Structure formats: structure tokens, C-alpha cells
Amino acid sequence: MYDADDGNPAEQKKSKLLEQMRRVGESSGRNRTERLNRQPQAQPRHVTRFEDLPEYKRVATQRMAGELLGVANPFYRSHDAAAGATTRIGGREFVNFASYDYLATNTDPHVATRAKEAIDRFGISASASRLVAGERPGHVELERRLASVYGVDAAVCFVSGYLTNVAAIGCLMGPQDLVIHDEFIHNSALAGIKLSGAARRLFQHNDLDSLENILKTLSSDFRRVLVIVEGIYSMDGDIADLPALLELKTRYGFWLMVDEAHALGILGKRGRGTFEHFDLDPRDVDIWMGTLSKTTSSCGGYIAGSSALADILKAEAGGFVYSVGLSPVLAAAAIAGLDILKSEPKRTERLRRNGHLFLEEAKAAGLDTGLSMGHSVVPVIVGDSLRAAQLSNDLLAEGINVLPIIHPAVPEGMARLRFFITCDHTEEQIRRAVRLTAEKLKSLKDRNFGLASLDMEKMMQLLPLAQAPGGS
């Protein structure tokens, strides 16, 4: 029978190549089978159910403890509209202390206009890695503007703040290196260190004597040394001692990385961050890291520093090279947020006043605000995780939305409500929120509401039921 491909040399060559590949595959398969037949048969591997993992058991235990005390889950509250100083949940308006919109850029008309223009021109997605086909003018402009904010040569943007730390640290550090970090550093930095394979040491929070002891003992044993701190610490609201860190840097020769996620737009007269707050030269810091989701109300993250640093990350960081480029609409929104930061410094002034007012009122009410210095983040430390969750629910009933931070995000005994302050909060909203927080917390304490009030014997009896398939 005639084959249509018989007279086509290209098709003949293709058929021969495929046949050769099949013969190699069949030979390899026979050899593998023969080797396996000569070996003793392995026992069938037991596949662990997700329900049996300790990670799931922790979740189930927390859920059961909440159910025993009648504590509704305060997380994953769905908002009906844009969230700023106020929000809508379930059709009801709330004063909102649970969003990062520090300078009220999220609903600003300028940001919305620039974002809509970007959608009309570029659509929603960059649709490819920037390295191959995803580069857009907004990416270049945003990186130029971020470098200008920090007074450095260049910046690189990533599609998420978490990925920024993971990709940058994972790229720059390796198994021959050492990363030293503040004990309260963000989880994304820890993930980046793990990815890098570098040795890791932590120093006591904001204790530079603790840091120096590590540097004295270990720094000479490694190829590269990186020290990581946060400008404003996201859980506690205090500030890194940047002048003292730079003094140590001159003596011990390490790279210094400062996470500015909660400091850009907040610290400094013009909101440029930690270096402006301390009136320091930003070029003395090797790596500035930040996110686009707070002050600029977008999404993504960035690294700012030298041109060489930017070149390395754009060529070698997997989270940049192998990831789709930042959405053009998000880049446009971030640029517009930086426009507002530069042109309206009074927003930073209002935020500073509101943060200080909240801190003063909270202290006067006897609330434990921990280490907070009254900037963008003010925690109210409750101690007990279940008590913190119930306090959040009690405040929600009064029209105030603020979320708890509980174990394992913080150690048990250090659970808190974390208040994010914005420039648009009014004095009356702040005073009322503090007053109600103090009243509701006192009521919970008077009732001894929390983990200490649980019937642990009953909980242990019910826990296996909660972990079983189909359990509550």
C-alpha cells in the first residue's frame, strides 16, 4: 500500500528519528525491569494521610478550642468594597484597622485613573517573563522611581513582596555564606535563607550587642555575610537602629539588608523611609527591600541598590527570571502611589499624628502596646490566642474591624490585635476604638475567658473526632 510520506525526505527523517528514540526507550525499559527483578521486592510504601500530619492536628486543635468556647473564626472576613479607614463587610460599614492603606492611595482618583489607562493600553497581564516578552514601559518607570526614592542607582520589581525576599536572598547567598537576622524578621526572609542553603543565626530583637557577639565569633568563617533587619517591624511597630547597624557594618564588613515594607511612606519627613528618619545616606545600605502593597496600594515587591545588584537579580534570581512580569496595571498603580507620596507629604504628617494619638490613648487606657513607637503599626498585646480572637469578634460587633495575630505567627502568650493606622482615620474613630478595646478586653479578663478556661479533658476526648474524616 502506498504511504503518502514515502516520497517526503523530511518526513522519512522524522520517522526514523522517532523509531530510534522508541528503540532506545524500549531497551532502557527492559534493562530497568531486569534490574528490578533481580532486587528483593520493597515493602509497599505507606502513604500518610493529610489528616494524620502534625500540621493538620494543630489546625484541628485550634478549631476545637474555638468551638468549645464559642469563638467564631475571625479570619477570612470578606469585604464588600475597597478597604481603607472604613470598609463594608456583609453590607455593614466598619471603622477599619486591618488594611495596609497607610496613605489612603487605594481609592485615590489619581491611582484609579492611571490603573484604568494601563488596562486600556496593556490589558491585565504582562503575559510572560520580563526577560523574554513581558517587559513594559511601566516596569522601567516604576524601577526608576523607586531608585529615586532611595537615592540609589537601580531597583528591580518582583510580582510579590514575599517572593522578593525569597528570590533575592536565595540568589545572593549560598552554602558557604552566613545570614544573621533579627529574631522578629518576616517569614519571607526565613524562607529565602532556607532556599539559599546559607548558615543562619539570629540576634535578639534590636539588640546590637547580641549581633556583634555573633559577628565577632563567626563572620571570618564565611565567604559572604548578610545582616537583615526591618525598618519598622511588622508585628511590633518599633524601628531598627540603623545608625548603630551602619557603624557595625564599617567594622565587620557585612552586607546590610533593610526591609522597608512598613516604613516607606511612614518614616521621615517626606515618607522616604528609615534612612530619612535618621538623616543617613541611603547608599550606605547595600540592599533596600520593600513591598508595593502598603503605601502604594498595589501588589508586588522591590529591591533597590547598586546597578550591579540589579543586574545580578535580573539575570540570576529565579523569582524574576522564571516568573511572569508584574502586571502592567499594578505597576501603573504603584507609580501613581509614588506620585502621591512625593506631592502630598501632608498625608505622612497626618499618619504620624494619628499613630502617635493611638499610642498615647492606648497607653492611657492601660493597654499593652509592647514595643510600638506609634507609627504605622500598633499592637495591643492580649496574651491568650483565644482571648485575642474573641476580642476581635467583640469589636466587630461594635463596628470596628481589627484582626488578631495568634500562635504560631507569634509565640503563645504574645497574641495580640494588630492595628494598622492610616492618614484618613479621624480622632474620634481612634479614641472610640481604643476605649472599646480596653472595655472589651477587661470584660474578657474578668470572665477569665481564654485557653485557661478550657476543659482540657473534654477537649482531648473530642479531638480525635475533629481529626477524623468528616469531623467538624
Side-chain angles (χ1 to χ4, degrees):
M1 187 167 63
Y2 177 75
D3 189 333
D5 293 337
D6 284 351
N8 188 327
E11 289 298 331
Q12 291 175 357
K13 185 176 180 181
K14 178 179 176 182
S15 296
K16 288 180 180 178
L17 177 61
L18 288 172
E19 184 61 30
Q20 183 181 359
M21 291 169 66
R22 291 190 190 101
R23 284 198 301 269
V24 172
E26 289 169 1
S27 174
S28 175
R30 284 194 300 270
N31 293 338
R32 190 182 306 112
T33 302
E34 291 172 1
R35 289 196 304 272
L36 289 173
N37 288 337
R38 291 196 298 268
Q39 295 175 359
Q41 292 296 311
Q43 292 297 318
R45 180 179 173 82
H46 173 70
V47 179
T48 305
R49 302 185 314 152
F50 291 115
E51 291 84 355
D52 295 328
L53 294 177
E55 294 89 340
Y56 176 75
K57 291 179 180 179
R58 285 196 295 269
V59 174
T61 301
Q62 288 180 338
R63 182 188 303 125
M64 178 61 68
E67 289 174 356
L68 285 174
L69 285 177
V71 179
N73 186 348
F75 305 108
Y76 299 103
R77 292 170 182 165
S78 181
H79 296 244
D80 304 333
T86 61
T87 189
R88 292 188 67 81
I89 301 173
R92 180 185 172 193
E93 185 165 302
F94 294 83
V95 178
N96 185 41
F97 291 96
S99 296
Y100 302 140
D101 191 18
Y102 296 133
L103 298 188
T105 55
N106 190 37
T107 54
D108 189 276
H110 175 60
V111 176
T113 298
R114 291 294 299 270
K116 290 172 184 174
E117 290 172 352
I119 290 174
D120 290 342
R121 182 178 176 187
F122 299 106
I124 304 300
S125 175
S127 301
S129 164
R130 286 176 60 186
L131 194 67
V132 290
E135 185 85 345
R136 301 293 182 269
H139 297 137
V140 178
E141 173 66 9
L142 176 56
E143 289 171 347
R144 185 189 68 79
R145 295 287 298 277
L146 287 165
S148 177
V149 167
Y150 287 97
V152 294
D153 298 335
V156 182
C157 288
F158 296 79
V159 292
S160 94
Y162 195 99
L163 178 67
T164 302
N165 267 334
V166 172
I169 298 168
C171 172
L172 295 170
M173 308 303 286
Q176 296 174 283
D177 304 326
L178 171 67
V179 181
I180 312 172
H181 62 86
D182 188 288
E183 64 179 319
F184 290 171
I185 204 71
H186 194 267
N187 178 269
S188 57
L190 299 179
I193 299 166
K194 184 176 181 180
L195 174 65
S196 76
R200 177 174 74 90
R201 298 290 186 275
L202 61 84
F203 62 93
Q204 295 175 2
H205 179 55
N206 256 344
D207 184 341
L208 299 195
D209 288 336
S210 173
L211 170 58
E212 185 169 14
N213 286 336
I214 298 172
L215 290 166
K216 284 179 180 177
T217 306
L218 294 175
S219 63
S220 62
D221 297 337
F222 295 89
R223 180 186 61 165
R224 302 170 184 168
V225 177
L226 173 66
V227 173
I228 310 176
V229 298
E230 295 183 23
I232 291 180
Y233 283 87
S234 60
M235 290 293 177
D236 294 272
D238 57 338
I239 302 173
D241 188 350
L242 189 54
L245 284 160
L246 290 176
E247 194 277 329
L248 280 179
K249 180 175 178 289
T250 62
R251 289 194 283 126
Y252 291 96
F254 54 80
W255 287 337
L256 178 60
M257 181 176 185
V258 182
D259 181 338
E260 291 283 277
H262 295 272
L264 179 65
I266 291 89
L267 293 182
K269 185 176 181 180
R270 294 171 293 171
R272 294 175 68 191
T274 311
F275 76 89
E276 188 179 48
H277 175 79
F278 287 109
D279 192 24
L280 296 168
D281 185 346
R283 292 177 181 270
D284 290 338
V285 171
D286 302 281
I287 306 170
W288 292 104
M289 178 272 169
T291 60
L292 302 173
S293 57
K294 279 76 174 178
T295 286
T296 60
S297 294
S298 180
C299 191
Y302 60 87
I303 295 290
S306 70
S307 295
L309 171 63
D311 286 347
I312 291 168
L313 295 177
K314 286 187 173 183
E316 301 284 344
F320 181 90
V321 174
Y322 300 107
S323 176
V324 68
L326 184 68
S327 168
V329 63
L330 294 176
I335 292 168
L338 293 177
D339 289 340
I340 293 169
L341 173 64
K342 183 176 182 179
S343 64
E344 299 186 43
K346 288 190 176 181
R347 296 197 190 200
T348 295
E349 293 176 16
R350 295 205 311 270
L351 172 60
R352 187 176 297 114
R353 286 199 302 270
N354 284 346
H356 290 165
L357 174 64
F358 191 102
L359 186 66
E360 291 166 3
E361 292 288 311
K363 287 183 174 179
L367 295 172
D368 183 357
T369 55
L371 303 171
S372 179
M373 300 174 71
H375 295 290
S376 51
V377 181
V378 182
V380 171
I381 297 175
V382 175
D384 183 294
S385 289
L386 283 177
R387 185 177 292 172
Q390 186 58 42
L391 179 58
S392 174
N393 290 335
D394 289 346
L395 288 171
L396 191 73
E398 296 288 344
I400 297 170
N401 184 51
V402 57
L403 271 291
I405 305 295
I406 64 175
H407 179 78
V410 293
E412 187 55 68
M414 292 297 291
R416 76 272 314 265
L417 298 189
R418 185 169 56 158
F419 288 82
F420 293 118
I421 316 301
T422 80
C423 66
D424 275 1
H425 281 119
T426 67
E427 287 191 19
E428 195 233 339
Q429 289 170 339
I430 290 170
R431 295 182 195 279
R432 180 172 181 268
V434 171
R435 175 175 57 79
L436 286 172
T437 299
E439 290 175 2
K440 299 297 181 182
L441 179 57
K442 182 178 185 303
S443 174
L444 292 170
K445 287 180 176 178
D446 290 345
R447 291 155 47 200
N448 193 33
F449 185 97
L451 289 168
S453 63
L454 279 174
D455 184 338
M456 297 306 296
E457 183 176 348
K458 180 181 178 182
M459 185 171 169
M460 290 301 102
Q461 292 171 350
L462 294 175
L463 190 56
L465 298 177
Q467 296 171 354
S472 60

Short mmCIF file of all heavy atoms in Angstrom, two decimals, residues 11 16 43 70 79 81 149 159 190 206 216 224 246 258 287-288 305 342 352 357 361 373 405 409 425 434 447:
data_model
loop_
_atom_site.label_atom_id
_atom_site.label_comp_id
_atom_site.label_asym_id
_atom_site.label_seq_id
_atom_site.Cartn_x
_atom_site.Cartn_y
_atom_site.Cartn_z
N GLU A 11 9.86 13.93 6.10
CA GLU A 11 9.01 13.05 6.90
C GLU A 11 9.71 11.72 7.17
O GLU A 11 9.56 11.14 8.24
CB GLU A 11 7.68 12.83 6.18
CG GLU A 11 6.77 14.03 6.15
CD GLU A 11 6.36 14.46 7.54
OE1 GLU A 11 6.30 13.59 8.45
OE2 GLU A 11 6.12 15.66 7.74
N LYS A 16 12.32 8.06 11.07
CA LYS A 16 13.49 7.31 11.51
C LYS A 16 13.94 7.76 12.91
O LYS A 16 14.33 6.96 13.75
CB LYS A 16 14.62 7.47 10.51
CG LYS A 16 14.39 6.73 9.19
CD LYS A 16 15.57 6.95 8.25
CE LYS A 16 15.35 6.22 6.92
NZ LYS A 16 16.46 6.46 5.97
N GLN A 43 8.89 -3.37 50.43
CA GLN A 43 7.57 -3.37 51.04
C GLN A 43 6.76 -2.19 50.50
O GLN A 43 7.31 -1.11 50.25
CB GLN A 43 7.70 -3.24 52.57
CG GLN A 43 8.31 -4.46 53.23
CD GLN A 43 7.47 -5.70 53.05
OE1 GLN A 43 6.23 -5.64 53.17
NE2 GLN A 43 8.11 -6.82 52.75
N GLY A 70 -16.98 28.77 71.93
CA GLY A 70 -17.93 29.54 71.13
C GLY A 70 -17.31 30.74 70.44
O GLY A 70 -17.97 31.77 70.25
N HIS A 79 -14.73 41.49 52.39
CA HIS A 79 -15.13 42.89 52.30
C HIS A 79 -15.95 43.13 51.04
O HIS A 79 -15.68 42.56 49.98
CB HIS A 79 -13.89 43.79 52.28
CG HIS A 79 -13.09 43.74 53.55
ND1 HIS A 79 -12.92 44.81 54.38
CD2 HIS A 79 -12.43 42.71 54.14
CE1 HIS A 79 -12.19 44.46 55.42
NE2 HIS A 79 -11.87 43.19 55.29
N ALA A 81 -16.34 46.18 49.63
CA ALA A 81 -15.88 47.38 48.91
C ALA A 81 -14.41 47.60 49.22
O ALA A 81 -13.81 46.86 50.02
CB ALA A 81 -16.71 48.59 49.32
N VAL A 149 13.50 57.32 44.94
CA VAL A 149 13.05 57.45 46.33
C VAL A 149 14.19 57.15 47.29
O VAL A 149 14.41 57.85 48.29
CB VAL A 149 11.85 56.52 46.61
CG1 VAL A 149 11.59 56.41 48.11
CG2 VAL A 149 10.60 57.01 45.90
N VAL A 159 6.88 40.11 41.46
CA VAL A 159 5.42 40.04 41.43
C VAL A 159 4.79 39.89 42.82
O VAL A 159 3.58 39.97 42.95
CB VAL A 159 4.92 38.90 40.52
CG1 VAL A 159 5.24 39.20 39.08
CG2 VAL A 159 5.52 37.56 40.94
N LEU A 190 13.10 34.32 56.16
CA LEU A 190 13.49 32.98 56.61
C LEU A 190 13.38 31.97 55.47
O LEU A 190 14.25 31.09 55.32
CB LEU A 190 12.60 32.53 57.78
CG LEU A 190 12.65 33.40 59.04
CD1 LEU A 190 11.70 32.85 60.09
CD2 LEU A 190 14.06 33.48 59.59
N ASN A 206 16.53 43.85 68.07
CA ASN A 206 17.09 45.20 68.18
C ASN A 206 18.23 45.30 69.20
O ASN A 206 18.52 46.38 69.72
CB ASN A 206 16.00 46.22 68.53
CG ASN A 206 15.60 47.04 67.31
OD1 ASN A 206 16.30 47.07 66.29
ND2 ASN A 206 14.48 47.73 67.41
N LYS A 216 31.61 38.79 65.83
CA LYS A 216 32.95 38.53 66.36
C LYS A 216 33.33 37.06 66.26
O LYS A 216 34.47 36.70 65.96
CB LYS A 216 33.03 38.95 67.83
CG LYS A 216 33.12 40.44 68.08
CD LYS A 216 33.15 40.69 69.58
CE LYS A 216 33.24 42.18 69.89
NZ LYS A 216 33.20 42.42 71.36
N ARG A 224 30.50 35.14 52.41
CA ARG A 224 29.69 36.36 52.44
C ARG A 224 28.87 36.37 53.73
O ARG A 224 28.43 35.31 54.19
CB ARG A 224 28.74 36.42 51.24
CG ARG A 224 29.42 36.36 49.89
CD ARG A 224 28.41 36.17 48.77
NE ARG A 224 29.07 36.02 47.48
CZ ARG A 224 28.46 35.62 46.37
NH1 ARG A 224 27.17 35.32 46.39
NH2 ARG A 224 29.13 35.50 45.23
N LEU A 246 24.91 50.59 60.85
CA LEU A 246 25.90 51.05 59.88
C LEU A 246 27.28 51.17 60.52
O LEU A 246 28.30 50.92 59.86
CB LEU A 246 25.47 52.39 59.29
CG LEU A 246 24.25 52.33 58.36
CD1 LEU A 246 23.86 53.72 57.90
CD2 LEU A 246 24.53 51.43 57.16
N VAL A 258 17.71 46.01 54.53
CA VAL A 258 16.65 46.61 55.35
C VAL A 258 15.32 46.43 54.64
O VAL A 258 15.13 46.88 53.51
CB VAL A 258 16.92 48.10 55.61
CG1 VAL A 258 15.83 48.68 56.51
CG2 VAL A 258 18.29 48.31 56.24
N ILE A 287 21.25 46.79 50.51
CA ILE A 287 20.03 46.26 49.89
C ILE A 287 18.81 46.85 50.60
O ILE A 287 18.58 46.59 51.78
CB ILE A 287 19.97 44.72 49.99
CG1 ILE A 287 21.24 44.08 49.41
CG2 ILE A 287 18.74 44.18 49.28
CD1 ILE A 287 21.37 42.59 49.70
N TRP A 288 18.05 47.63 49.85
CA TRP A 288 16.75 48.10 50.33
C TRP A 288 15.68 47.18 49.75
O TRP A 288 15.61 46.99 48.54
CB TRP A 288 16.48 49.53 49.90
CG TRP A 288 17.36 50.56 50.53
CD1 TRP A 288 18.41 51.21 49.98
CD2 TRP A 288 17.25 51.06 51.87
NE1 TRP A 288 18.98 52.07 50.88
CE2 TRP A 288 18.29 52.02 52.05
CE3 TRP A 288 16.38 50.80 52.93
CZ2 TRP A 288 18.47 52.70 53.25
CZ3 TRP A 288 16.57 51.50 54.14
CH2 TRP A 288 17.60 52.43 54.28
N GLY A 305 19.12 49.32 45.08
CA GLY A 305 20.53 49.38 45.47
C GLY A 305 21.41 49.75 44.29
O GLY A 305 21.02 50.57 43.45
N LYS A 342 5.22 61.71 46.87
CA LYS A 342 6.11 62.84 46.60
C LYS A 342 5.39 64.18 46.67
O LYS A 342 5.93 65.16 47.21
CB LYS A 342 6.76 62.67 45.23
CG LYS A 342 7.77 63.75 44.88
CD LYS A 342 8.44 63.47 43.55
CE LYS A 342 9.49 64.53 43.22
NZ LYS A 342 10.16 64.24 41.91
N ARG A 352 1.40 60.27 60.86
CA ARG A 352 2.25 60.34 62.05
C ARG A 352 1.44 60.82 63.26
O ARG A 352 1.56 60.25 64.36
CB ARG A 352 3.43 61.28 61.79
CG ARG A 352 4.47 61.31 62.90
CD ARG A 352 5.65 62.19 62.53
NE ARG A 352 6.35 61.67 61.36
CZ ARG A 352 6.41 62.28 60.18
NH1 ARG A 352 5.82 63.44 60.00
NH2 ARG A 352 7.07 61.73 59.19
N LEU A 357 -1.32 59.52 68.30
CA LEU A 357 -2.55 59.64 69.08
C LEU A 357 -3.01 58.27 69.54
O LEU A 357 -3.39 58.09 70.71
CB LEU A 357 -3.64 60.32 68.25
CG LEU A 357 -5.02 60.39 68.92
CD1 LEU A 357 -4.98 61.24 70.18
CD2 LEU A 357 -6.07 60.92 67.93
N GLU A 361 -3.34 57.23 73.49
CA GLU A 361 -4.65 56.84 74.04
C GLU A 361 -4.61 55.41 74.59
O GLU A 361 -5.18 55.12 75.65
CB GLU A 361 -5.72 56.95 72.95
CG GLU A 361 -6.03 58.37 72.51
CD GLU A 361 -6.81 59.13 73.58
OE1 GLU A 361 -7.81 58.58 74.08
OE2 GLU A 361 -6.41 60.26 73.91
N MET A 373 6.26 52.24 68.53
CA MET A 373 6.65 53.63 68.65
C MET A 373 5.60 54.56 68.04
O MET A 373 5.84 55.75 67.83
CB MET A 373 8.02 53.83 68.00
CG MET A 373 9.10 52.98 68.65
SD MET A 373 10.71 53.05 67.81
CE MET A 373 11.23 54.71 68.22
N ILE A 405 -3.50 38.48 65.81
CA ILE A 405 -2.31 37.72 65.41
C ILE A 405 -2.07 36.71 66.52
O ILE A 405 -1.83 37.08 67.67
CB ILE A 405 -1.07 38.63 65.25
CG1 ILE A 405 -1.37 39.77 64.28
CG2 ILE A 405 0.12 37.82 64.79
CD1 ILE A 405 -1.64 39.35 62.86
N ALA A 409 1.98 32.45 64.53
CA ALA A 409 2.59 33.65 63.96
C ALA A 409 3.38 34.41 65.02
O ALA A 409 4.38 35.07 64.72
CB ALA A 409 1.51 34.55 63.36
N HIS A 425 -7.86 58.04 59.16
CA HIS A 425 -8.59 57.81 60.41
C HIS A 425 -8.82 59.13 61.12
O HIS A 425 -7.93 59.99 61.15
CB HIS A 425 -7.83 56.86 61.33
CG HIS A 425 -7.95 55.42 60.96
ND1 HIS A 425 -6.88 54.63 60.61
CD2 HIS A 425 -9.04 54.61 60.87
CE1 HIS A 425 -7.29 53.40 60.33
NE2 HIS A 425 -8.60 53.37 60.47
N VAL A 434 -9.94 52.70 70.77
CA VAL A 434 -9.13 52.42 71.95
C VAL A 434 -10.02 52.19 73.17
O VAL A 434 -9.80 51.23 73.93
CB VAL A 434 -8.13 53.56 72.20
CG1 VAL A 434 -7.44 53.38 73.55
CG2 VAL A 434 -7.10 53.64 71.09
N ARG A 447 -13.85 37.64 83.09
CA ARG A 447 -14.51 36.33 82.93
C ARG A 447 -13.51 35.19 82.81
O ARG A 447 -13.90 34.04 82.66
CB ARG A 447 -15.40 36.35 81.68
CG ARG A 447 -16.61 37.25 81.82
CD ARG A 447 -17.11 37.74 80.47
NE ARG A 447 -17.20 36.66 79.47
CZ ARG A 447 -17.23 36.88 78.17
NH1 ARG A 447 -17.14 38.12 77.69
NH2 ARG A 447 -17.34 35.87 77.32
#
